[in-house]
Amino acid sequence: MSDVMKAVRLHAFGGPEMLIYEDAPKPQIKAGEVLVRVHAVGLNPPDWYLREGYKMLPPEWQPRVLFPIIPGTDISGVVAAVADDVRGFAGGDEVYAMVRFPIGLAGESRAYAEYVAVPATELALKPAGIDHVHAAAAPMSLLTAWQFLIDLGHDEPNPLQPHQHAPVPLAGKKVLINGAAGGVGHLLVQLAKWKGAHVIAVASGGNEAFLRDLGADEFIDYGKISPESVVRDLDLVVDAVGGPKTRRFLPALKRGGALFPIFPLGFDGASEAKKLGIAVSTTQVRSNGAQLAEIAPMLNDGTIRVAIDSIYSLSKAKEAHERAATGHIRGKIVLTVTQEEQS
Ligand SMILES: NC(=O)c1ccc[n+]([C@@H]2O[C@H](COP(=O)([O-])OP(=O)(O)OC[C@H]3O[C@@H](n4cnc5c(N)ncnc54)[C@H](OP(=O)(O)O)[C@@H]3O)[C@@H](O)[C@H]2O)c1
């Protein structure tokens, strides 16, 4: 077998044009790892944060990057080889994973490629009922939604706050999801509904039918109405847009309610939240093969549906990032690794 593969690499930070489709060394697996022949790659905001050099992070948080790097974390594919000490996976298995997040923030996840080495603990069997495109679209967004709403799944320190994040009860609760049409948001809507919440989805107007179909009970078009001006007595707001504006949701929450900013950087409402008796909590998603295995039956039977915004071939990663930069992503953007690229 050749020790060269096709991959998309960055040799410097910058815009989408910095994503170069070229030959790269095929990864060698170490103990505990599985080599996966990638069929599809799901895109996520950290892919463009890395491409741009994590400009949005404070300098002390910016990981040191050694070029060239292969971006990307989310894959679905077929097992090509397993290390001798790995149990539970065998050649030919269809698998999916979020690779090395957040430990690979400096570019060690290496998903935009024909082959990727994945720690077996981060891998799960792909749900047989969905294709590689939908499986690759799921991991980061779904693990984020799951770890915020259902089960954190680990006891590693939380880099974003002094205490661990803890999900709150959802059955019978009034839950608002902001950024509901995006990768994380459309899965938050479905998980909250699955747990019996009354879900209010906030997104741009064209997304109403999409979100009602996924189970949203109410819909607010943020282009027409400021959501915080028309909702009251919420039990939970999950803000998948986040940033400094998250604070505006505090008065719409009940005393004893909770605000979960998925993107917490810039949030400055801690003292107001304390006065209002609202718990604010966030976390950073972590790779977790056991959770992907636990959720797989729900993807398989359609309880959770992953929506696809658009599909590009691996060689068109630049165009996929240009699509992402135009915003208003509905569901997920996915790269496919075709047979031609794998020959
Ligand atoms: N904490 C973590 O570990 C973690 C994990 C994953 C993601 N994140 C962060 O979470 C955020 C969302 O990620 P994602 O993958 O879901 O991104 P995404 O797919 O780009 O989704 C963002 C969504 O927000 C919507 N939106 C934009 N402006 C809005 C507004 N003012 N009000 C309501 N909706 C608005 C967009 O569509 P419309 O405008 O058309 O409605 C889009 O659907 C990102 O900042 C990401 O970095 C954090």
Side-chain angles (χ1 to χ4, degrees):
M1 226 179 4
S2 161
D3 49 12
V4 174
M5 64 173 181
K6 290 289 184 208
V8 171
R9 299 201 293 184
L10 292 166
H11 294 263
F13 296 132
E17 71 285 356
M18 303 308 287
L19 295 161
I20 311 295
Y21 178 73
E22 60 187 2
D23 286 342
K26 197 188 265 184
Q28 306 285 322
I29 47 172
K30 302 192 203 78
E33 291 184 346
V34 174
L35 184 69
V36 178
R37 183 166 67 87
V38 179
H39 283 241
V41 183
L43 271 56
N44 291 283
D47 302 4
W48 29 102
Y49 302 158
L50 173 62
R51 195 198 73 225
E52 293 166 346
Y54 292 108
K55 284 188 302 205
M56 22 60 80
L57 289 179
E60 66 276 16
W61 286 16
Q62 291 174 359
R64 275 171 58 86
V65 167
L66 292 175
F67 294 109
I69 50 167
I70 299 174
T73 57
D74 287 5
I75 57 107
S76 180
V78 175
V79 172
V82 293
D84 290 343
D85 62 336
V86 168
R87 301 284 170 271
F89 296 101
D93 284 347
E94 294 193 318
V95 288
Y96 73 138
M98 176 175 79
V99 186
R100 292 189 172 84
F101 198 89
I103 59 164
L105 270 174
E108 297 91 350
S109 304
R110 306 170 72 81
Y112 288 17
E114 288 181 313
Y115 288 88
V116 60
V118 185
T121 53
E122 298 179 354
L123 208 58
L125 292 177
K126 175 180 90 55
I130 62 172
D131 61 15
H132 286 295
V133 165
H134 287 80
M140 181 177 284
S141 295
L142 189 47
L143 286 174
T144 302
W146 191 264
Q147 291 173 14
F148 266 88
L149 288 189
I150 310 296
D151 176 20
L152 183 64
H154 65 83
D155 50 17
E156 298 295 325
N158 187 335
L160 300 170
Q161 63 188 28
H163 54 280
Q164 285 294 15
H165 172 77
V168 293
L170 295 170
K173 304 291 181 183
K174 216 161 126 185
V175 176
L176 181 142
I177 313 284
N178 190 40
V184 180
H186 84 294
L187 298 167
L188 288 167
V189 166
Q190 295 175 72
L191 290 180
K193 274 306 289 181
W194 173 62
K195 281 290 178 187
H198 177 91
V199 174
I200 305 167
V202 180
S204 61
N207 288 312
E208 176 163 4
F210 168 65
L211 287 164
R212 286 197 185 273
D213 182 52
L214 294 180
D217 298 289
E218 296 180 47
F219 177 82
I220 300 174
D221 172 358
Y222 71 79
K224 289 198 181 135
I225 306 166
S226 305
E228 68 278 13
S229 67
V230 291
V231 286
R232 282 290 169 271
D233 296 327
L234 298 171
D235 295 289
L236 173 66
V237 170
V238 190
D239 190 353
V241 181
K245 286 187 173 171
T246 294
R247 183 182 183 151
R248 70 200 158 115
F249 288 111
L250 289 171
L253 280 152
K254 273 182 190 159
R255 182 165 282 276
L259 171 63
F260 293 170
I262 306 275
F263 185 84
L265 299 184
F267 176 73
D268 61 355
S271 56
E272 184 184 350
K274 202 169 169 194
K275 258 188 245 151
L276 293 171
I278 292 158
V280 180
S281 182
T282 189
T283 189
Q284 183 177 41
V285 67
R286 289 191 79 84
S287 294
N288 193 322
Q291 286 185 330
L292 288 178
E294 185 183 351
I295 307 167
M298 297 171 66
L299 289 168
N300 215 22
D301 68 13
T303 305
I304 302 291
R305 288 180 276 153
V306 185
I308 303 301
D309 175 278
S310 46
I311 302 174
Y312 298 82
S313 70
L314 179 65
S315 60
K316 300 282 184 225
K318 168 179 161 285
E319 285 79 356
H321 276 225
E322 284 167 351
R323 156 70 194 101
T326 64
H328 300 293
I329 298 172
R330 177 188 287 178
K332 301 292 299 179
I333 303 172
V334 178
L335 305 175
T336 52
V337 185
T338 63
Q339 286 307 310
E340 192 181 75
E341 282 160 343
Q342 289 182 4
S343 64

